[in-house]
């Protein structure tokens, strides 16, 4: 049940947003073994004039950058799976958006099962009910 927030330093079309959301959902499902129906993705465009790398705005640099932050439950994926997912997410971003600035980041936050959940229940309480 991951939540993935994507911030991009340019306006993306509806088609690009759909491509990103679909690709991210596929990566979360196929690479990190998450339940497809629970993968949530949000995509936000930030004006290039308001995104800075080395104190220069992306508009002046004439470049595109992105920041992807995904929240997953701690202990549910191996280091290799997470590494593969980060590489696949970066590849997806470049396929959809084109060449990205080197300072384009992808973070997978691994949160303890007691500290987050959905539909009003923690992940830990869901696991306890099953086992």
């Amino acid at each position: 049940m991951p939540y993935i927030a994507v911030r991009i330093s340019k306006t993306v079309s509806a088609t690009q947003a759909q491509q990103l959301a679909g690709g991210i959902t596929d990566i979360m499902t196929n690479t990190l073994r998450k339940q497809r129906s629970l993968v949530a993705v949000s995509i936000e465009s930030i004006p290039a004039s308001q995104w800075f790398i080395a104190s220069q705005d992306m508009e002046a640099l004439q470049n595109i950058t992105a920041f992807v932050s995904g929240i997953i439950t701690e202990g549910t994926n191996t280091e290799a799976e997470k590494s593969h997912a980060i590489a696949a997410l970066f590849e997806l971003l470049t396929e959809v958006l084109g060449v990205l600035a080197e300072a384009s980041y992808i973070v997978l936050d691994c949160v303890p099962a007691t500290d987050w959940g959905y539909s009003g229940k923690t992940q830990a309480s869901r696991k306890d009910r099953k086992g």
Side-chain angles (χ1 to χ4, degrees):
M1 72 151 238
Y3 170 69
I4 301 87
V6 182
R7 293 176 185 88
I8 302 166
S9 67
K10 73 172 236 165
T11 301
V12 296
S13 68
T15 299
Q16 289 174 310
Q18 184 60 53
Q19 289 172 324
L20 289 170
I24 290 167
T25 300
D26 288 345
I27 292 165
M28 293 296 117
T29 302
N30 301 328
T31 305
L32 297 180
R33 300 176 280 110
K34 305 305 179 194
Q35 188 175 333
R36 185 174 203 80
S37 65
L38 298 175
V39 176
V41 178
S42 65
I43 299 170
E44 177 182 5
S45 295
I46 297 174
S49 63
Q50 295 178 14
W51 194 312
F52 299 84
I53 295 176
S55 298
Q56 292 188 301
D57 67 63
M58 296 308 293
E59 192 169 63
L61 293 172
Q62 296 182 342
N63 216 333
I64 301 168
T65 190
F67 176 72
V68 178
S69 177
I71 303 171
I72 60 176
T73 304
E74 184 176 72
T76 59
N77 294 103
T78 66
E79 184 177 327
E81 288 171 330
K82 291 182 280 187
S83 178
H84 182 71
I86 288 171
L89 288 165
F90 187 80
E91 183 178 333
L92 172 68
L93 289 167
T94 60
E95 285 175 7
V96 175
L97 303 173
V99 176
L100 296 176
E102 182 179 17
S104 295
Y105 297 98
I106 299 170
V107 177
L108 293 177
D109 291 313
C110 299
V111 178
T114 56
D115 294 358
W116 86 305
Y118 63 95
S119 197
K121 298 177 184 169
T122 68
Q123 288 297 83
S125 70
R126 291 174 191 288
K127 185 178 179 182
D128 290 343
R129 278 194 346 214
K130 292 178 184 174

